[in-house]
Amino acid sequence: MIGQANPTAIMFFVAFVISTLAITYWAAKRTRTTKDFYAAGRSVTGLQNGLALAGDYMSAASFLGIAGLVATKGYDGLIYSVGWLVGWPIIMFLISEPLRNLGKYTFADVVSYRLNQRPIRAAAAAGSLVVVITYLIAQMVGAGTLIKLMFGLPFEIAIVVTGTLMISYVLFGGMIATTWVQIIKACLLLGGATVLVLMVLNKFDFSYGNLFNQAATATPLGQKFLEPGGLVTSPLDAFSLGLALMFGTAGLPHILMRFFTVPDVKAARKSVFYATGFIGYFYILTVTIGFGSAVLVGQKVIMGIDKGGNMAGPLLAEALGGNLFLGFLSAVAFATILAVVSGLTLAGASAFSHDLYVGVIRRGQASEKDEVKVAKMATVGLGIIAILLGILFKGQNVAFLVGLTFAIAASANFPALLMSLLWRKLTTAGAYMSIYTGLIIATVLLILSPTVWVDIVHKAEKEAVEAKVKVVDANFKNTTDALGKYKAIAGNKAEIDMAVVKEQAELEKKKIELAAVKDEKDRAAQIKAAEGKTAKTVEVLQGLTALDLAAADKLLADAKPKYEAEKKEAGKDMPKPIFPLKNPGIYSMAAAFLMGILVSLMSPDKEAEKKFDAEKLREYIGIGAED
């Protein structure tokens, strides 16, 4: 059962970890050069890289987060699955071919191809590292929640275990180990999710109509559960989020890095073709899993296990396939996280060593041995940072966190990359100003947004206000329930006294039943709620002693305005965000493009313009591309 140590899950976990560590050992013996460490020797085939790209992209946010968002918020959860998918045609038609022909190990190679190397590499490394670190947070939160529930370990220890394994894969196996871990994980995840969806559809006679109708019936929102507005209420916020998800894909360092692992442009295009198919199919599965969870598990149970809703998928697996299937799917989810964090860590390490250390600090004069050594040191550093931030962001929905990462990727990395490929007049100053502008504005606006400013920075104040509002809500419900139930005996002291005795007896009976609840915190909360309900009911009954039926009816009618006034008073101290949108993509992307264009036009670079034709020749024909 979820929330307790699961021997089956532990068995699958151990089997996966042993097999992947064996792959790492095999890969370590094949990783001899910088090209092996960063790019798997450029020996990965199109199909293998397509599966690895899908493995890199089908993250904890995809499997745990989207299913949780759909299960708890309904239709609006689809914004994430659709937004993440439509980014792939952009990569296929605009990015994959020039990236492979112009680059070596990182996307900074492409942006700086005809520009001044040092300032571009410094800016690109900064953008890449921020994207990698914020993306790592989401994966670590998902891993921590999962291991905590499967092993019964504290969240913090679970995060440390994940971080240690992640560091091991990258430190010893490099890109070869990371690629094969991703391929295995993609196959397991697609297979496990397919089986789960078939089990869900079997419950609804393989009819999506039946599934959606029952989802509307089973959730408090009713028909609104199937309509927009459950998660993103502002059209501007929805548009901003969609932009970030769509263009952020083309700015993710660990995705862009994968195009350097294939031997040529043809394999790069095949990679994207295969990856798009696998990812599109997977997102269809996650939506079905989300709606199935809402019906077959229930929102109350999902939110009770994890506030962010991240355990909707595993809970559904337990409901349909018992402990065995839960154990398998949980191990697959953990494999998903490990594969993604390995790719992210390698991308971050390459940005630090290849771009910052070699390109900026050593001005291109460093041995391969030194470069790999620095990359391994950066791997350990990133692992420690990921562990600490994962603990800080405990309890957040992972899909939501990744949505924020995509805003930074779409603002810091994508504009400069696109302009360097398509616009002759881009200058060095324009490129690095575009990166810094997108990075700084996206990061600052994210900090000032409701997601961070209210939910993280002022978390204690928010929780205190929510607790007050919750008390007001509970008092109103208990009051109206009691008045509705007992108003008929208003003025009858004998019957009121009997009702008081009955309510107190029911409370004692409820306490005995709740003694069976194993989670001490959950048991205490339920007992406190039951006591509060009984106290309010007794208070209402005692008040009815001096009233008649008409007065009781008036009291019931007056309860709603009084409740609304009390709720407004209780919520007046709720922290307010400085920036209103949850995702700032629309502003930060526009600012990055605008800054790049303006600075380039104000400080033209004729040398860079002359090199544009040579860049296009290499981009299209591939003469001189890294082999």
Side-chain angles (χ1 to χ4, degrees), residues 414-464:
F414 175 70
L417 180 58
L418 189 68
M419 287 190 289
S420 72
L421 295 174
L422 301 180
W423 192 37
R424 181 187 295 270
K425 293 183 180 294
L426 181 71
T427 64
T428 299
Y432 71 71
M433 284 302 293
S434 172
I435 293 171
Y436 284 130
T437 300
L439 176 63
I440 293 167
I441 291 180
T443 305
V444 169
L445 292 183
L446 281 173
I447 291 169
L448 302 179
S449 73
T451 314
V452 177
W453 190 256
V454 176
D455 295 347
I456 304 296
V457 177
H458 293 94
K459 185 179 179 182
E461 296 98 309
K462 182 192 173 191
E463 288 178 348

Side-chain angles (χ1 to χ4, degrees), residues 366-420:
S367 66
E368 286 194 352
K369 186 179 178 182
D370 284 346
E371 186 173 345
V372 173
K373 183 181 177 182
V374 171
K376 290 184 175 182
M377 290 166 62
T379 298
V380 176
L382 281 168
I384 293 168
I385 291 168
I387 289 168
L388 295 175
L389 290 176
I391 292 169
L392 179 66
F393 279 77
K394 176 181 179 180
Q396 294 293 307
N397 180 279
V398 291
F400 205 69
L401 287 171
V402 172
L404 303 182
T405 301
F406 272 62
I408 298 174
S411 307
N413 299 344
F414 175 70
L417 180 58
L418 189 68
M419 287 190 289
S420 72

Side-chain angles (χ1 to χ4, degrees), residues 20 58 254 372 613:
T20 49
M58 296 183 306
H254 66 300
V372 173
D613 291 328

